[in-house]
Amino acid sequence: MPSIADREAAVDSVALPEYQTACEPFVVLKQHVDLEVNFRDKSISGVSTIHFFLNNPDLDEVSFDARQCDIDIDDITVDGFRTTASFHDPYDLMEYPPQWQLGAGQHHVIRKRMQPLAPERRPDVPIKEREKQLLGCVPADRSLRVSLRPEGKLEDESRRPLKIKTVRMDKDDPNDEKSGIKISIPFRSKNIRDGLHFVGVEEGDSRYPHVYTRHSIEPGTPSCIFPCVDDPGSRHPWKVSIKCPRTLGDAFERPATTQPPLSVNGSRKRKFGDEPSLPAFPLMDQEDKMMEMTVVCSGNLTGEQIDPKDDKKKTMTFECQNSGAQHIAFAIGPFEHIDLWSEFRTEEADEKLGANAAKIHAYCLPGRAEEVRHSCAPIVSAADYFAPEFGRYPFESYKVCFVEDMIPDTVAATSMSLCSTRLLYPEDIIDPDIEVTRKLVHALASQYLGVHIVPNQRSDSWLVIGMQWFMTDLYMRSLCGNNWYKFHLKTMADKLIESDVNRPSLHDLGEHLHIGDFELEFMALKAPLVLFILDQRMSKIPGSTGVVRVISNIVSAANISNLDPTVTSLAAAEFRRSCEKKSQYRPDELWDQWVYSAGCPKLLIKQKFNKKNLNVDIGIIQTQGTEPKSKSINKSEFWREYQEEIHNVYAAEVPKLFTGPFTVRIHEADGTPYEHYQLITEKDKTGTTLAIAYNTKYKRLKRTKKAVAAAANNTDKHDVQEDDVVYFNMLGDVLTTAKDVENWGLQEWSEQVQIQMDQESYEWIRFDCNFEWVCETITDMPGYMYLAQLQQDRDVVAHQDAMLFFKRGKRHGVAATIETRTVMDKRYFHGIRIMAVEDLAKQADPDLNYIGLAQLILSFRHFFCYRMLGKAGNVTYPPRPNDFQDKAQYAVQSAIPGAIARTRERGRCSKNGRNFLLDLLLFNDNSENEYSDQFYIAKLLEALTTSLIPEKQEGEGTLLSNLKMDVDEDREFKNFIEKTLEEIEKYRRMDEWTSSYQNIWTLTAMDCKTRLMKERVIPIKPTEFMAYLQDGNLDLVRIKAFECLVELGMLSRTPVLKFLLSCMSTDKSPFVRDRLFKIFCKGIAAIAFGENKASQPEPEVEVDDSGLIIEQGELEIQQRKLDAVRKEDINQSLHALKEELKGNTELQMAIWQAVESPIIGLREKRQILELCSAMFEPDDTLLVTVKYPRYWTCTRDAPVNAGTSIVPSSKPGPKRLMVHFAQHYRTKPKFEKVLTPPPPLPVLEVVKPQETKKIKLSSRPSFSGPASFNGPSSSYGNSSSFGNPSLGGSYLSRPSSRQPTPAPAPTPIQVPSQASVPTQAKIQVQAQVPAQAQAPVPVAATAIVAPLVRKDSISVTMPRPAAPTPAPATPAAPAAPTSDSIAVQSVARLSTPLIGTPPPLARASSQQLNGSSVKPAEKRPKPAKKRKSDENDNLDRPKKISKSHSGGVRPGANGRPSKVVTVPFRSWHKLSENIRRRLGSGSGHSRTSASSSTIVATPTAKRIVATSDPSSSPAVAASPASNSQYGLGAGAPSSGFKQRKPLPSSAPRDPLAPVPPPTTNGVSVSAPIATAPSPAPSMAKDPPRKVIKLKLKSSSMSSFSQGSPR
């Protein structure tokens, strides 16, 4: 772990350019703000004038902060000259464009859009470093940029030179306005979300209208009120002038310019069609309208005057010195003024304090002055305590203003504090007095540290906050006593030990205070404790004055030099050095372990008396690093864990060894305490062993024996008196008579324990008796030593440690006796007595004969009941009338009923205990009491509710319905439940008529019913809470009603969910919105932890055939493990939450409406969006709505004469022309872009040569089946081989048996690439496919060759495009043939001499053949769809694949170029029979060739001149339609050509012979056999086709194609 010096060196080594980049090179000297507040419009306007000087004379532009306002950039002036400026409102980022249609799934889109508004983006520049380096200030947004060198407004006006006077640091007044530049910025607010809050101006709000400023830790809130430099480190003088209405009636009076005009009869009655006038809300009587409006603002009031232009307005001016923008606050309303300092400070105290006496004022709404006097009386006493102890109050006066709807209880500003009216309480209420007093005193202490003295950096915030609460608790010690102070610190320390697990350090926590108020609460808990143990360690040094004197010196120095930033800012390093100078104590180890680290030490201590050396051996082992790091997360911590997870708040390292001074106090046998100052150092890594010398010479003697012996021997009288005082004044020495022991069932130590006690060498040992550690201590001391510590030690912390030991221990009769005597002894601090009362409920055990319950009842009867003897001799104990004069006794009286209610006998509270509690409520008498018993009755109702809840609820339904009336015990319990419900309902109704303090009875009644419903004692009735959700109820009541509904699992009900989210986002009170958000987070946490299963259906119970229910034990165990993991890991909780809420559209719609609310502020919107990210997975889709363009049309009427009348006139009047304009939306393009296809290619009439054919031969073997080529493919599909008698023969021998194939619709024309456009009509021979080709090339993506006009030719094989399919890992099964063409075996070499080829004919598409034009392709080729005729035929058809090459030469099977031969073949009749026979049957070699090569013959066509643009070449996509139109296939009735007949040579020898699959280079290729179905009846009348026979002499020719003759 780095040392303190290393940490400071790391901080000092921060590069200066980083600070210079973050800072603007100017310093604000002074700011003057003129404001005008409009209550009716809820707006604010004015001018902000900023005086500043430049650190950089060459600066041309300065930046300021402004939010949620409109700035007139044309009227911004620099030293009186208009200038140019630019402004963008950062709050516009909270809204998204209206074209975006977003939902809860797009939460990340808005979060990213709002990222510039994140508070962590502000750089943290130390204040002291700014003063040293003249760095300037750090604006938060820089949203307003003003030019310092503007162009002149007039043409002949030259550019104004900038005059800058450098400010000398040694001047008497560095804030002189003449030495800087003045910029005036006019502004007006818009849609106020943050910064200001108006109360009582809405319709239906009956509260007194007032407005006040809102504040936050994060920057940006001050700039929501007026333009400024929103930087906590920029502190300068202020002058604030506020114009407001004079009276409450003037605030809502409509201006004369907006009043409707008078009618003829002098009335302002609205006519039909006029807009309704604004209501004159709120409704007020004449007395309320005359109330004077008051402005309470930071600083001192320097002037008040009536507005010369409007006598219904007034202006009040305030001035203050050295304040930041975030500490400027004001409130405007009909406030009553209470002069506290004159009412509660005596003349003697005023003379004693002299100039240090602070003037304290209080302001409140009408009717609450008495509550303010009672609640704020301790503030004057606290100010008088702080002045001599810490220094003079830094301002001239202190103002406390109480307003409505505040989220925090107090907010500190310069010389004033805004406080919530929830803190006020009347004189007869005594329960919240200590808590409220501590909060109000803390607000006063914040004026010293927090407002006047600010932290140097955010990481130094812990020191300022810790000093605030340290000063507060010191005053509370003077007010409540030393016992209260120590008990309070010990309670806080125990709470810190429990909560400081996986938390950041105090140093790191300052960077994350903006995340939520939970971080500030944790800092307020730990920081004062760290300062307290620092004070305890410093006080042990001789001559040291502790932390108090260090704070006093800091405050005094700041009061002397209140304008020096280096003095009015506090750094932790300087404070540590000051402590070292004052006390000579080096707190380095304390800083390392308590400031830069986290966690608290946990000490396991073992003690033993060493008789040999007469030492007390103490072994200390620290176990804080050995416990498991996982901690169960409860519902209230879910939101904090999630926030720390997404904001990267990491847990700090826990030291394995805490070091420092450690004091041990041993009370030896003679009763004398001996303190031993020990030290735990880093050397004791495995454990600390302390050997403490024993001082008593002889063995331990009983004190009774010592006293008797001393009296008998006539020893020193002083010694005897000392022993007697210690013995007889021992605490807890009550109920010691034999009668009391018998009546109360008390039990003493056994004889064995007594013997053991006599053998001990010391009474007890106190570890860390000076409270120098905040630690958990577990020792092996026996119980009788803790009893001696409880009874004989005078320290309340020692008593508290003893009670914690008994609380951790098991049930025991002696422990019950000890706790009973503690309760009965009034000399104990009331907090210790309450701890004993709470632990006595544990002693109500059957093994102890339920002694704890009896002792609790006896204790209450002893203090608070009469003992009355009846006529029949029976004794009753009616309660006494309430008397709350003794607050300690009142605290014990309020605690005993709750402990009685927690006792259990056979799973339920006993009958005696329940009846006792009910009697206390029924016979409660407060007639003679000076104070109210409302809180006491509320505690009795809570105790009765607790007594109704059993330990375990079995069976289904409610407890009330399951009780059996034929059982006496159940019948009595049911009657008691009904009586309790009646009492709860009675006080709830009483609260409606006679309102209790903050409706405490209504809140208690709702809480009691919620607990009973949740524990299934009574049925769930949500309607009982829905009635309290109306707006007219108290805010605390509405919040409690929502909390009850969420606790009952009603969040799964859509109406409740929508209403909760609606109120959470639209309620006018920010306090209500904040509390409802926390309640909603608890409900979401219950879903994440699996507690709320209302929205999920129950799993079905598995039952076997015999009716036996099978228990799924393993699943249940796994579910329990999953639930446990959910509560330990936040990531698992979030994952489970998203799974639970997946598909919940109702929740998504409702929460997105909350996000879009125009009322919520920046922080609230960010929190809801972060909650959306926890509930829903991000959705990256974005739906955008585009508006149709608009256009106008103009029409006119026929012109008419304006002077047309019935009487004819000689002179016609002027003509009048009426023009009508209409607006329309353009839903179609104005100019539609039409693609004009190129003209169709002309069909050239060519004289057909007599029997001239063109043949292209290739020796490459053919391939049937799926294949892929390394190059562009042709338009043909997979070729089918039919040369083999077993393949093609069977197919060609039965043409009449094949069903006709219907012709599908023609496919769109596709434009082939240039490489695939043929230059002439050829007979194409398929190349051999490489063996590694497995996947077929999609035909739609290949280049298509346009078909030719049909002439006499050999049959043309037109492919059918097939959809692209993935390449199979193994050879695919035979596919059904998709081509209707006929193929015969080709020859490898021709013996016929080559003859010249006639010119090729132009190719024409099928559309051209049918008389249609060719359209160019506009889209990419699509995969061809499967033919309907092939869907259910279950036939594997061979496919043809042809490859096209742009070079004109295609590679052969061996990689060499193949030859293209064109011959005019005429001698068909000269072919010998031998050749024809071999062509028909063939040899084995020919069969092999047939499976690997195919000759495709195409008709000759005239050559078409191809253009250079490949897209201009017409082409037709090969499809089944083209095959049918060309007559390729037996079934093509729609074709205009004659249908072809099969060649005679293609008849098979053995149609039933098995067909082996053809192979190509080792790759199996499928070429299945298909039996053609019988022809359709429509084919019977087809004309006969001409048979063409081909005679080739080459023996290697294996196949040929047959054309369709004309």
Side-chain angles (χ1 to χ4, degrees), residues 476-478 480-488 795-796 829:
M476 295 299 296
R477 180 179 64 178
S478 66
C480 302
N482 192 55
N483 281 344
W484 178 92
Y485 178 66
K486 288 189 174 182
F487 185 84
H488 170 71
D795 191 1
V796 68
F829 180 64

Side-chain angles (χ1 to χ4, degrees), residues 875-894:
V875 180
T876 59
Y877 296 90
R880 295 179 182 180
N882 295 330
D883 185 9
F884 300 156
Q885 290 288 344
D886 189 349
K887 287 199 65 177
Q889 283 293 94
Y890 169 64
V892 175
Q893 182 180 356
S894 301

Side-chain angles (χ1 to χ4, degrees), residues 564-578:
D564 188 359
T566 59
V567 178
T568 57
S569 60
L570 181 60
E574 293 184 357
F575 175 77
R576 183 183 58 81
R577 287 192 289 266
S578 299

